[in-house]
Amino acid sequence: MGAYCNDDLTLSPKYTFASSQDLRFSKHVHDNVHGNIYLDPLSLKFIDTEEFQRLRDLKQLGAAHLVYPGAVHSRFEHSLGVYWLAGEAVNKLKTHQVWNAHVLGLELGIEDYDVQTVKLAGLLHDVGHGPFSHLFEREFLPQVLKGSKWSHEQMSVKMVDHIVDRHHIDIDSGTIKRVKEMILASSEFALPKSAKEKHFLYDIVANGRNGIDVDKFDYIVRDCRACGLGCNFQFPRLLETMRVLGDEICYRAKDYLTVHKLFATRADLYRTVYTHAKVKAIEFMVVDALLKANDFLDIASHVLDPSEYWKLDDTILKTIETAPDQELSEARDLILRIRRRDLYQFCNEYAVPKDKMENFKEVTAQDIVCSQKSSGVILKEEDVVVSNVRIDLTRGKSNPLESINFFKDYDSEEKFSIPDERISHLLPTSYQDMIVRVYSKKPELVGVLSEAFENFQLMTYGIKAQDQGCNYAVSFSLLILSGSYRTVHKPVLGRDGKSSVR
């Protein structure tokens, strides 16, 4: 990632409002990424509720702040950022396209109603998130709600209804219906669009069509800033130049590499921050603590009722840690280990070979335990954590830019896709990595577990950890930066001082 410059990340102070009165009746807050954000009266009715204010106690990056100390930003500020960018995006489309309409006949018919709906969708898109970001949804709930397909997007929709009903917010049902459709637009639970036209509006906040949306614009820049990383992806460039052609948001052909940087920077964040080896170790400990506390505190039941769900946030750990109840002693002990940095130990990792990716089956603790050879210590599944980390450019093994359309210039009505080979031979040839990591819950088992993991690699792929210290994390970051990211297939040493991640 390139050098960080805060000035480049701040949007222009030229704000566009639906009416001249909006600014007078709006409240403004100063955001450390976007500068002044103006909150309109309707949005404030949602913001000034206990359900939305709960987002202040949900860290955007879960447990990452225990590795990256600056990553203490919350879902609250992210939601305000997405609200603001959503409004900027729809207003820029409205203003810029009207300017060209007399030439191309591209009048979009964007009304004040559309602007308000898109902004509300941006504001409320994350109101259904649980404690510790995606950890709650992807790691904890699947173990306590077997077979459930619970998602934070669906809970966001339920929370929107709950807020409207509980606080008697005067808003028409049609607007709320469209807001919920926009929140779910990129998920597997997407609803049929109620509007017969202007489908491009549904791609602004959560883009299920090609993955370019203002949600990513905000969290990529905000997360890079909080973690002290550079960010060479410039979203204002895309906001200024995007156009709608054929009911689809398209981008200038000359901005192809800017779009690519969006996905490359996201992938780099996944590798270096979101799935950092120590971040994941801490997250596994948090999950185990929640699992041990679940029966006593009945945590999982909160997801069934929005009126109870809003009471659940990151402070659940402090509740467990300070409660005197004997039933929470095991959970308390795990939290104490986190506080004292007595973490689950990272043993080793390897990247699944490219030719094995198609039929890859997730590795389990049982696979590792069964690979143990004769030893004085017998491994148990409950002492092992296996992490199957998938990193891609938002479209699995496919190139996300294949689903994006471009235009030549502002006088053009034609949209088209651009093959990689027409841009650069340094762009990726692979778009997905699968990394398998193993952790030991007990420090004394690290050596035995590392050996069993090496045996598993040898039996499965005919490879084993190399003696030289191949720094996979650094290699990955450099490849992303250079634009020549390709899947690296070398296993990485762990406990002998040559681990790829510290």
Side-chain angles (χ1 to χ4, degrees), residues 275-317:
T275 65
H276 185 292
K278 268 195 169 56
V279 170
K280 294 303 294 182
I282 295 170
E283 287 187 350
F284 290 133
M285 297 181 76
V286 171
V287 170
D288 283 350
L290 294 177
L291 289 172
K292 292 180 182 299
N294 184 59
D295 288 343
F296 184 71
L297 297 179
D298 207 12
I299 301 170
S301 68
H302 287 68
V303 304
L304 305 176
D305 183 0
S307 66
E308 292 297 318
Y309 183 73
W310 76 268
K311 302 172 185 176
L312 198 59
D313 55 44
D314 290 359
T315 61
I316 184 68
L317 276 199

Side-chain angles (χ1 to χ4, degrees), residues 73 95 165 173 198 215 241 251 400 439 473 479 485 489 498:
H73 55 303
T95 303
D165 292 341
S173 59
K198 294 185 281 192
D215 179 31
T241 61
Y251 301 88
Y439 298 82
L479 289 167
Y485 160 49
H489 308 308
K498 301 176 182 178

Side-chain angles (χ1 to χ4, degrees), residues 485-500:
Y485 160 49
R486 289 175 172 78
T487 307
V488 181
H489 308 308
K490 295 181 180 179
V492 183
L493 289 178
R495 290 294 302 164
D496 59 355
K498 301 176 182 178
S499 169
S500 67

Side-chain angles (χ1 to χ4, degrees), residues 260-416:
H260 177 263
K261 285 179 183 178
L262 163 68
F263 298 114
T265 305
R266 175 184 174 275
D268 196 25
L269 278 168
Y270 265 87
R271 186 61 178 87
T272 58
V273 178
Y274 308 155
T275 65
H276 185 292
K278 268 195 169 56
V279 170
K280 294 303 294 182
I282 295 170
E283 287 187 350
F284 290 133
M285 297 181 76
V286 171
V287 170
D288 283 350
L290 294 177
L291 289 172
K292 292 180 182 299
N294 184 59
D295 288 343
F296 184 71
L297 297 179
D298 207 12
I299 301 170
S301 68
H302 287 68
V303 304
L304 305 176
D305 183 0
S307 66
E308 292 297 318
Y309 183 73
W310 76 268
K311 302 172 185 176
L312 198 59
D313 55 44
D314 290 359
T315 61
I316 184 68
L317 276 199
K318 183 60 69 174
T319 298
I320 296 170
E321 188 176 19
T322 58
D325 308 271
Q326 182 59 33
E327 293 87 345
L328 296 175
S329 60
E330 289 185 274
R332 277 199 304 271
D333 289 343
L334 276 171
I335 298 171
L336 186 60
R337 284 185 62 182
I338 295 174
R339 301 294 189 201
R340 294 177 176 177
R341 215 63 176 179
D342 178 19
L343 307 179
Y344 292 169
Q345 295 294 301
F346 170 71
C347 297
N348 211 330
E349 69 176 18
Y350 71 85
V352 177
K354 183 177 179 180
D355 59 345
K356 305 293 184 181
M357 291 279 286
E358 187 71 30
N359 300 311
F360 174 76
K361 181 182 178 182
E362 290 203 344
V363 181
T364 66
Q366 184 181 38
D367 292 329
I368 306 304
V369 170
C370 291
S371 301
Q372 182 187 12
K373 294 183 178 179
S374 57
S375 173
V377 179
I378 304 299
L379 290 174
K380 299 178 181 179
E381 289 183 39
E382 56 265 32
D383 297 326
V384 181
V385 179
V386 178
S387 177
N388 296 276
V389 179
R390 188 183 303 274
I391 301 172
D392 58 37
L393 301 185
T394 74
R395 282 292 183 270
K397 62 182 180 180
S398 301
N399 178 5
L401 281 87
E402 292 176 351
S403 57
I404 299 169
N405 280 313
F406 298 85
F407 58 89
K408 182 179 180 181
D409 53 48
Y410 298 128
D411 294 328
S412 174
E413 291 185 72
E414 179 187 1
K415 62 180 181 179
F416 51 86

